[in-house]
Amino acid sequence: MEEKLLSVSSAWKKANYPLVFTGAGMSAESGVPTFRGKDGLWDRFDVEKAAYLQSFLEDPGPFWKMARELVLKKEVNPHQGHRALARLEEEGYLQGIITQNIDGLHQKAGSKEVYELHGSLDKLDCLDCQKKYTWEEISPDVEKGEVNCECGSRKVKPRIVFFGENLPREELDRAFFAAEQCDFLIVVGSSLEVYPAASIPQIAWQRGARMALINTEQGFFPEMFDWVFLDSAERVLVELEKKILGGDQK
Ligand code: APR
Ligand code: ZN
């Protein structure tokens, strides 16, 4: 591990345009379940019923039951890996984070340049009367697994991307543009199964970027990565930050 940490941190320090690409595994150590891999949500919930736009429009119930697991077990906070990335950005070692996550933990940790390809949970709209809500306003209802608008509609939809829905065009274009400039990319905690998000690392790779993977399970596009850490996001990112910024960050 030590030797790999040294070579990755030295490549990271030399990079002109380093990026990080994160998936649900980045938030696992903050207590947010992943969708796939060990104990993944899609083993416990029917993805067709819980995450497809058409199903949500017919019956939002399954989505809210899954959402209750996703971020509402307890107050969800960034871990030291999120904070390490925020500090590395502050010190000029990170151009941005392209994330598939909807939990807002990168921003909560202080990261500024975050591309949320799949949107975020913090704002919601009633699809019938267009009334706007914040997650805080509706979170007590989510506990009950049912969210209703004042107008009586059950279609209070978070601004996240459901399967069958387009990704936010501007965010996606910015992420593609960043990936084309990228000369060093770390993929953290993603199964790289969902497109177009999963094409971001491919673009960087085709552009000739040096590529590192941090994932507790292995076997994701091994040909794409110069370094693979079969380890947890928090542990590796904290160690990499120490190598790059030196010392023990609090
Ligand atoms: N550290 C690093 N990796 C981890 C950790 C951890 N602590 N825990 C789990 N992982 C890995 C798993 O091995 C898995 O490969 O994180 C990955 C999570 O994969 P997914 O759950 O598929 O998450 P993601 O790739 O973000 O999914 C993409 O699918 O359901 C949709 O819209 C949803 O944005 C999501 C998209
Ligand atoms: Zn309404």
Side-chain angles (χ1 to χ4, degrees):
M1 166 91 152
E2 185 60 17
E3 199 260 326
K4 220 177 335 185
L5 285 169
L6 285 171
S7 63
V8 170
S9 51
S10 110
W12 190 337
K13 277 192 280 195
K14 284 189 210 117
N16 296 317
Y17 206 96
L19 286 176
V20 169
F21 176 88
T22 62
M26 175 75 207
S27 301
E29 285 142 298
S30 290
V32 182
T34 60
F35 296 98
R36 299 171 191 82
K38 202 160 103 4
D39 306 331
L41 285 169
W42 298 146
D43 293 342
R44 284 177 281 139
F45 293 91
D46 176 345
V47 62
E48 305 262 327
K49 292 206 174 74
Y52 277 73
L53 181 63
Q54 202 39 50
S55 318
F56 180 86
L57 298 175
E58 281 148 24
D59 175 9
F63 166 77
W64 290 115
K65 295 224 179 0
M66 185 273 292
R68 192 167 39 183
E69 285 261 328
L70 198 57
V71 279
L72 272 139
K73 273 241 165 74
K74 54 186 180 349
E75 176 55 27
V76 176
N77 289 307
H79 55 61
Q80 285 310 327
H82 292 102
R83 295 190 203 292
L85 291 179
R87 283 190 291 264
L88 283 161
E89 178 189 42
E90 212 173 308
E91 299 299 325
Y93 289 103
L94 193 55
Q95 294 292 331
I97 297 174
I98 299 171
T99 190
Q100 302 168 93
N101 298 340
I102 57 177
D103 51 37
L105 290 177
H106 287 302
Q107 295 91 322
K108 229 173 170 180
S111 290
K112 304 274 180 298
E113 198 62 17
V114 181
Y115 305 96
E116 291 181 312
L117 297 183
H118 293 164
S120 73
L121 282 171
D122 59 1
K123 291 192 186 64
L124 307 93
D125 308 281
C126 171
L127 301 184
D128 286 329
C129 74
Q130 281 69 49
K131 179 170 170 42
K132 297 189 182 340
Y133 289 91
T134 62
W135 187 263
E136 287 68 34
E137 285 167 327
I138 57 107
S139 53
D141 299 344
V142 183
E143 281 294 337
K144 289 182 257 145
E146 182 70 30
V147 176
N148 297 303
C149 176
E150 282 163 12
C151 74
S153 166
R154 293 179 65 220
K155 292 180 203 150
V156 177
K157 182 182 172 300
R159 291 182 194 170
I160 61 173
V161 179
F162 281 69
F163 285 108
E165 216 176 352
N166 289 329
L167 277 67
R169 189 71 253 165
E170 207 246 337
E171 203 76 337
L172 189 59
D173 287 346
R174 284 173 64 226
F176 280 143
F177 180 74
E180 266 136 32
Q181 323 295 316
C182 174
D183 58 350
F184 177 88
L185 179 73
I186 296 201
V187 174
V188 187
S190 178
S191 60
L192 295 176
E193 285 198 19
V194 173
Y195 286 80
S199 56
I200 296 284
Q202 315 257 351
I203 292 169
W205 180 46
Q206 278 141 21
R207 184 219 171 271
R210 302 299 304 279
M211 308 280 288
L213 176 76
I214 303 174
N215 195 310
T216 41
E217 294 167 28
Q218 78 163 3
F220 302 97
F221 304 91
E223 71 286 357
M224 201 152 83
F225 295 102
D226 303 287
W227 304 277
V228 175
F229 292 93
L230 207 47
D231 205 328
S232 85
E234 181 172 33
R235 212 163 87 85
V236 178
L237 290 172
V238 164
E239 289 307 315
L240 284 172
E241 180 200 17
K242 278 188 210 155
K243 293 276 180 272
I244 294 172
L245 300 184
D248 272 328
Q249 310 288 338
K250 280 290 157 278

